[in-house]
Amino acid sequence: MWAIVIGVVLVAAVVAFRPLLARLAARNIGRRKSRVLIVVAGLLVGTAIISSSLVVGDTLSYIFLEDVYARLDAIDELVSNTFNGQLFSFSESNFTQIATDLAASNSPIDGIAPALLKVMPVRNVAGNKGNQQITVMGLGATLEGGFGSLTTLDGRTVDTDDLTPTEVYANERAAADLNATTGQDLTLFYGTTNQTIVHAAVASIVRDTGKAAYEGIPILFMDLGHAQTAFNESGAINLIRVSNLGGVADGIAYSDRVTQDLRLSIATRHLALRVQPVKADEIAQAMQVGRDATQLFLVMGAFGILAGILLIVNIFVMLAEERKPELGVARAVGFLRADLLTTFALEGTFYAVVAAALGALAGLGLGYVMVYFFDKLVPHGDVVVTFHFDPSSVIAAFVAGTALTWITILLASWRVSRLNIVRAIRDLPEPGTRERSRDVLIAGTLVTLGGIALTTWGFAVDTGMGKIPGPPVLALGLGVAAASRGWARAAMTLAAAFNLAWILLPFTLLNQATDNVSVAFVMVGVILVGSGILIAVFNVSEALRAILRRANRGVGRPVLKTAVSYPMEKRFRTGMTVAMFALILFMVTLISMLQGLQAASLDSFVQQQSGGYDVIAYTTSYGEIPNFRQRLQANFSDSLFLNGYNGTSTASVMPAKVQAVGGNRTYDYTLWGVDNFLIQSNQYGFTSFLPSYVNESSGQRQALTNRTDVWLSLRWNHTLAIVDRTATGPNQFVPDESRLRVVPGDRIRAFDAAGRTVNLTIVGVLEQALQFTSGVFVDQSVVRGVFPAEERYTAYFFQMAPGVDVSAFRTDLERTFFVYGLQTIDIREQIGQAFDASQEVLTLMQAYLGIGLLVGIAGLAVITLRAVVERRTQIGALRAIGFTRGMVLSTFLVEIALIAVLGIGIGVALGIVLAYKIYIVYFADIVVFSVPWPNLALIVGVASAAAVASAAQPAIRASRIPPAEALRYIE
């Protein structure tokens, strides 16, 4: 912001004290209004990208923040006895003690109340509908003052003390899920193994607002005492809710103080409870979602922003070329270099301010479009998507865009001002001089020293922030130094080739634990594209000329020679334009490659995730379904399953804490006690396993040679365990490095809330990080023998026969075992939905990046416009010596095509190669490599057509200039 203020002050001072310079700048702006429009359109793209990124971040922060307020309402902190996500009941007297302590310490709260929460299947017989996961919440109305009352659909205020022991209130979500209306009877099935059945009538339906909107879930409200009696929990609760002083949003200001008071009370009274500042935590997560979205869009748009910077440089270099004689005359009549710099800076300031203002506003529209498609394409549950932006974000985008453009303009203007008066007046090129060579040598030396410093620092502290750019900067510095001695082509080509090899060879330079991946990715893209362009600019002309020398003489040969000569003569300008296309196409291609990798790997991914199973079912409450296999056989034909009933397996699932033996950190994990059917029929493979194990029944050591042996070892040695790949490092499901890390042979201990413990040795690590069954696999007898039934639930695995209607089977299975809360997952369907969502997000990113192509198109249009003006006399000469209109048009079109093909080819090729490097280093054993040629062909076709179309009109106009008029032309 201060940079903008200083810039405004400087501009005002120049206008006041040097009005002549201001008039010159204004005259230059008004000379060619169409070109000004093109320049502003190209420059505003960078600001629009910044603005839209900030706006999308604002929107996502806002919608998730509002969702937090809606779900928690007055609740700021929760006190509970939880163990790995399980809620355990505790004495209601604990609530009384804590409430007393908070009152004694004058804690800033306006409400504290107990609750008893139970999740169970509920059926509405009259409405012919049920739901396996309805939350039943018991509340004490006399303590609910800080959390408000319930409001019925007709606006009446009610609370749970109005209910009889056989009545409940249903919130709107529960009523919809159960097809329930007032007065209908509901059946509640509590528990699995020893089930309690409760009958209750719907007293009224309450609105999904306030405490009735808790966590956005379907809820039946009961009186606390009635709930304790109904579910055999006399004198027990499992949740304490705390509301801080202030409103729904304001109470968070006291969260630290209240949390501290709660923890002090719990510690003083030695209670087995824990405090969660839920609202503060979830608000922090919502804000982080916004920041992550902003960063993602900025990283995606960074290449468009860089292309915009290159466009600015290109524009001012061309303006300088266009006005070179004029600037020479100005210098001859007494203008200083500082005057030329000031004139260009004033002109650039106009472009910068106008483009930044329009770009900031355009970013609002672009952000709205992105949010609209996010709402339509990306799954987001019940979160309501509402477009929202903070005005400060638009201002920040304007400031950033103006500053970025202005700084670039100043640097370009400084370069423009350093001209020789005589050569400028005669419009002659600047020759190489000893002084210029010395400057180049000094610059190369400084760059080399910078590269050495970056490389040393990167390897010393093991950071990709130094290791990625260090050696390339060093090589580039050496190339520039060598270029000062006349070896530019060889030196820059070798430096660029080294840089490509450094980035693309199959080894990792990134420290995943500490490095900023987004920054590293942008650095890699810039280094790759820059190196590719250096090789092209210094070698394409020679290659094309060599081809032309061998080509047959004909009409096409002079056209090709003329078309190649101009871009290669203006290497800097050509390189900048090629870079605009290459940067965008590089990123678009990389995203297309990711889409292709996902699509090619879908079947293998489903196989790895499913382990050969099609459907997983699980109970929603703790315990086991009595006589499950007998009931299954009584209700379902064995022809539904692959290999009959042997195609069904069970696992006793136990949420536990896991700790590496000898370690001091504890992790939430899931124990999967698998039965013999699952041990023998699953198809999960291993990335590593022990060479042998001791069979407990025989006492003999047995070799492990394949996946079947490893799984069977669980049956014969109950101290062995298998872990999925989440235990070996960050992955697509568990990116957090701060987790259990083990290898075959390591020992772990698993325990529950009561301290029951089992010691295990890791015998193998699965080849995939699992989404549905992540955890530690042991024999079923281990879980059943050590941990009680009320602490575990049960999962069932089904291998379906070919041709079976999986959806119909799931419906029948859930209906048959409804009273036990059985729910099912179609593994392929779940993965397919996640795959589709991911593909939609990537497509959205491609569309967003496509906006950056506007920069390249604008750049090509400006270059072609300038080329027509600059070469008007040349066009006349060509026509005079026999070039037809068609040949002139062909010359310009081939020239345009050459630049576009170079940019598109470099971007696409480097995107493919980098995707292959990422595949080799990180995902070779997880996904299948594939190049999506149809998608890439479409991308190349659209980009090529847009490039040619953008410059076709100036080329046509050039071909129609009469020779005599062109030869007489004076600009």
Side-chain angles (χ1 to χ4, degrees):
M1 178 64 79
W2 284 110
I4 300 299
V5 172
I6 293 171
V8 170
V9 172
L10 290 176
V11 169
V14 170
V15 172
F17 296 105
R18 299 296 301 277
L20 175 61
L21 301 183
R23 286 199 300 271
L24 286 174
R27 189 201 68 168
N28 288 332
I29 292 170
R31 286 168 71 180
R32 292 183 178 83
K33 295 181 177 59
S34 60
R35 193 176 305 177
V36 170
L37 291 176
I38 294 174
V39 169
V40 171
L43 296 183
L44 68 81
V45 172
T47 306
I49 290 172
I50 297 172
S51 177
S52 61
S53 300
L54 296 176
V55 166
V56 170
D58 286 347
T59 297
L60 293 182
S61 292
Y62 173 80
I63 62 177
F64 286 110
L65 198 62
E66 290 299 306
D67 181 62
V68 171
Y69 293 144
R71 288 186 294 104
L72 295 179
D73 193 53
I75 298 173
D76 290 291
E77 293 83 30
L78 292 175
V79 180
S80 60
N81 178 17
T82 58
F83 185 86
N84 199 357
Q86 290 178 267
L87 272 179
F88 289 91
S89 298
F90 54 91
S91 173
E92 194 172 355
S93 63
N94 292 166
F95 160 75
T96 305
Q97 293 170 331
I98 292 172
T100 301
D101 290 342
L102 292 185
S105 63
N106 292 318
S107 194
I109 66 170
D110 56 21
I112 180 169
L116 182 65
L117 266 70
K118 299 293 181 181
V119 180
M120 62 194 70
V122 176
R123 175 177 285 160
N124 176 17
V125 177
N128 193 31
K129 199 170 182 182
N131 187 298
Q132 299 99 322
Q133 281 193 300
I134 297 292
T135 297
V136 180
M137 181 181 289
L139 302 177
T142 57
L143 299 169
E144 290 291 312
F147 302 93
S149 301
L150 300 169
T151 304
T152 63
L153 296 180
D154 58 7
R156 290 182 297 112
T157 298
V158 297
D159 220 321
T160 54
D161 58 352
D162 301 325
L163 297 169
T164 67
T166 58
E167 288 183 325
V168 296
Y169 293 127
N171 71 356
E172 291 177 278
R173 287 186 177 87
D177 286 354
L178 298 172
N179 194 28
T181 58
T182 300
Q184 289 185 329
D185 291 327
L186 305 178
T187 304
L188 287 61
F189 302 91
Y190 174 60
T192 304
T193 306
N194 300 307
Q195 195 167 69
T196 299
I197 298 178
V198 177
H199 297 280
V202 179
S204 190
I205 297 172
V206 296
R207 295 173 180 170
D208 284 343
T209 58
K211 62 188 179 185
Y214 177 70
E215 292 297 357
I217 54 178
I219 305 175
L220 299 179
F221 294 96
M222 300 178 72
D223 176 72
L224 178 59
H226 300 161
Q228 291 169 333
T229 301
F231 304 126
N232 303 314
E233 294 268 11
S234 180
I237 57 176
N238 57 13
L239 199 64
I240 297 174
R241 296 162 297 137
V242 181
S243 173
N244 300 344
L245 284 174
V248 171
D250 301 335
I252 190 177
Y254 300 104
S255 190
D256 289 342
R257 163 75 189 282
V258 175
T259 300
Q260 183 179 1
D261 290 345
L262 287 167
R263 286 173 177 163
L264 180 61
S265 173
I266 290 169
T268 303
R269 295 184 179 275
H270 305 289
L271 304 177
L273 303 175
R274 63 189 297 262
V275 181
Q276 294 173 279
V278 285
K279 186 172 287 181
D281 289 347
E282 294 201 25
I283 285 176
Q285 291 174 8
M287 300 303 291
Q288 186 60 47
V289 167
R291 287 191 292 269
D292 290 344
T294 299
Q295 184 181 49
L296 173 63
F297 277 85
L298 281 175
V299 169
M300 294 295 104
F303 295 92
I305 295 170
L306 289 172
I309 292 173
L310 297 179
L311 177 59
I312 296 168
V313 174
N314 225 0
I315 286 171
F316 274 79
V317 169
M318 286 188 296
L319 288 176
E321 291 286 339
E322 177 182 330
R323 301 173 190 169
K324 199 172 182 181
E326 176 186 324
L327 296 175
V329 171
R331 288 279 283 122
V333 299
F335 269 53
L336 301 176
R337 284 180 175 176
D339 296 330
L340 297 184
L341 175 62
T342 303
T343 304
F344 264 94
L346 286 173
E347 183 179 350
T349 299
F350 170 80
Y351 295 139
V353 172
V354 173
L358 294 176
L361 295 176
L364 281 178
L366 178 58
Y368 179 85
V369 171
M370 299 303 292
V371 169
Y372 174 82
F373 283 106
F374 173 86
D375 184 27
K376 299 298 181 184
L377 302 177
V378 181
H380 48 79
D382 294 329
V383 178
V384 178
V385 176
T386 305
F387 180 70
H388 173 86
F389 69 92
D390 188 334
S392 64
S393 294
V394 180
I395 296 172
F398 169 75
V399 172
T402 303
L404 193 65
T405 306
W406 203 56
I407 291 169
T408 308
I409 286 169
L410 285 179
L411 293 175
S413 300
W414 173 80
R415 181 181 183 275
V416 167
S417 66
R418 294 171 60 83
L419 52 80
N420 180 279
I421 298 174
V422 176
R423 294 193 184 94
I425 293 173
R426 294 183 176 181
D427 197 14
L428 299 174
E430 297 285 336
T433 63
R434 183 174 299 177
E435 180 182 353
R436 186 179 296 271
S437 297
R438 186 183 65 230
D439 292 343
V440 172
L441 178 61
I442 292 172
T445 303
L446 292 175
V447 172
T448 300
L449 293 175
I452 292 172
L454 275 173
T455 304
T456 304
W457 171 65
F459 282 95
V461 301
D462 188 25
T463 174
M465 301 299 102
K467 289 192 289 186
I468 291 173
V473 170
L474 173 59
L476 185 62
L478 293 174
V480 172
S484 69
R485 294 293 176 260
W487 306 322
R489 181 187 172 200
M492 299 307 291
T493 301
L494 288 175
F498 169 81
N499 292 351
L500 290 176
W502 179 254
I503 298 297
L504 294 176
L505 285 177
F507 52 77
T508 179
L509 300 169
L510 199 64
N511 185 332
Q512 296 184 59
T514 59
D515 289 344
N516 186 315
V517 177
S518 299
V519 174
F521 178 73
V522 174
M523 286 194 301
V524 165
V526 171
I527 292 169
L528 287 177
V529 172
S531 300
I533 289 168
L534 283 176
I535 291 176
V537 167
F538 280 97
N539 294 277
V540 165
S541 61
E542 283 71 13
L544 290 176
R545 285 167 183 158
I547 293 172
L548 289 173
R549 281 195 295 269
R550 291 168 174 76
N552 294 327
R553 295 184 181 274
V555 175
R557 195 165 184 268
V559 169
L560 291 175
K561 288 188 69 174
T562 308
V564 169
S565 62
Y566 186 78
M568 294 307 118
E569 178 187 348
K570 307 288 185 179
R571 285 182 173 176
F572 180 82
R573 187 187 303 180
T574 301
M576 294 294 100
T577 310
V578 169
M580 294 178 209
F581 279 95
L583 283 167
I584 304 301
L585 268 297
F586 166 76
M587 195 64 231
V588 172
T589 299
L590 196 57
I591 291 178
S592 185
M593 288 297 298
L594 292 178
Q595 287 182 307
L597 290 176
Q598 281 189 341
S601 306
L602 180 60
D603 289 338
S604 63
F605 186 72
V606 169
Q607 180 62 33
Q608 291 172 336
Q609 287 294 313
S610 67
Y613 296 98
D614 300 290
V615 176
I616 298 176
Y618 57 93
T619 54
T620 56
S621 55
Y622 290 90
E624 297 179 0
I625 298 177
N627 305 313
F628 173 80
R629 192 167 285 275
Q630 290 86 338
R631 296 187 184 192
L632 182 74
Q633 294 176 5
N635 289 277
F636 297 91
S637 168
D638 64 348
S639 63
L640 292 172
F641 311 110
L642 191 67
N643 301 320
Y645 294 119
N646 289 337
T648 66
S649 310
T650 65
S652 298
V653 187
M654 168 69 194
K657 299 283 187 182
V658 172
Q659 188 178 65
V661 173
N664 56 7
R665 295 195 60 183
T666 301
Y667 308 91
D668 289 340
Y669 249 81
T670 302
L671 283 182
W672 293 81
V674 296
D675 68 0
N676 287 334
F677 291 101
L678 194 147
I679 286 176
Q680 295 183 67
S681 63
N682 84 81
Q683 297 173 18
Y684 291 120
F686 293 87
T687 185
S688 60
F689 52 83
L690 292 176
S692 62
Y693 76 103
V694 175
N695 187 317
E696 288 181 330
S697 62
S698 65
Q700 301 294 315
R701 179 168 291 278
Q702 294 183 208
L704 297 172
T705 59
N706 53 53
R707 53 168 300 279
T708 304
D709 291 343
V710 180
W711 279 108
L712 286 172
S713 69
L714 299 184
R715 181 198 297 179
W716 304 116
N717 189 325
H718 292 170
T719 67
L720 298 180
I722 291 168
V723 293
D724 74 316
R725 204 165 180 171
T726 57
T728 63
N731 57 82
Q732 67 270 42
F733 303 120
V734 188
D736 181 15
E737 284 202 338
S738 180
R739 289 181 58 85
L740 176 70
R741 295 289 173 256
V742 292
V743 296
D746 287 350
R747 298 179 63 228
I748 61 173
R749 57 185 292 265
F751 55 93
D752 66 0
R756 303 178 186 91
T757 302
V758 59
N759 293 312
L760 302 164
T761 300
I762 305 301
V763 66
V765 177
L766 298 180
E767 65 182 355
Q768 180 64 278
L770 299 179
Q771 179 179 2
F772 306 102
T773 54
S774 175
V776 178
F777 296 85
V778 296
D779 187 75
Q780 194 168 50
S781 62
V782 175
V783 174
R784 288 183 172 179
V786 176
F787 305 105
E790 61 268 19
E791 289 188 0
R792 63 181 190 261
Y793 59 93
T794 309
Y796 305 90
F797 299 79
F798 302 91
Q799 294 175 326
M800 308 308 297
V804 170
D805 186 339
V806 174
S807 178
F809 168 73
R810 290 174 59 202
T811 301
D812 292 342
L813 191 70
E814 289 181 356
R815 184 179 63 251
T816 301
F817 295 98
F818 174 84
V819 297
Y820 301 104
L822 193 73
Q823 290 191 301
T824 61
I825 295 173
D826 181 336
I827 296 176
R828 173 171 282 277
E829 179 183 84
Q830 287 286 309
I831 294 175
Q833 289 174 353
F835 167 81
D836 291 341
S838 176
Q839 291 282 299
E840 297 289 359
V841 170
L842 291 173
T843 301
L844 201 60
M845 290 293 99
Q846 278 187 317
Y848 183 71
L849 282 168
I851 297 166
L853 277 177
L854 295 176
V855 178
I857 292 169
L860 199 55
V862 171
I863 281 182
T864 308
L865 281 171
R866 174 56 199 160
V868 171
V869 174
E870 190 177 76
R871 296 157 61 188
R872 193 155 182 164
T873 304
Q874 294 179 17
I875 294 169
L878 290 173
R879 291 296 310 280
I881 63 173
F883 267 59
T884 64
R885 285 184 176 183
M887 293 174 69
V888 172
L889 176 61
S890 299
T891 298
F892 277 95
L893 291 179
V894 169
E895 190 176 306
I896 295 164
L898 174 63
I899 294 173
V901 166
L902 281 176
I904 294 169
I906 290 170
V908 171
L910 291 175
I912 293 173
V913 177
L914 181 61
Y916 185 73
K917 187 243 175 102
I918 294 172
Y919 159 78
I920 288 293
V921 174
Y922 297 105
F923 303 113
D925 57 344
I926 298 175
V927 301
V928 177
F929 185 80
S930 174
V931 179
W933 293 115
N935 287 355
L936 293 181
L938 178 63
I939 291 168
V940 169
V942 170
S944 301
V948 173
S950 69
Q953 194 275 334
I956 293 171
R957 191 176 68 184
S959 68
R960 292 176 177 175
I961 300 174
E965 181 182 327
L967 289 170
R968 290 196 305 267
Y969 176 74
I970 299 176
E971 189 175 5

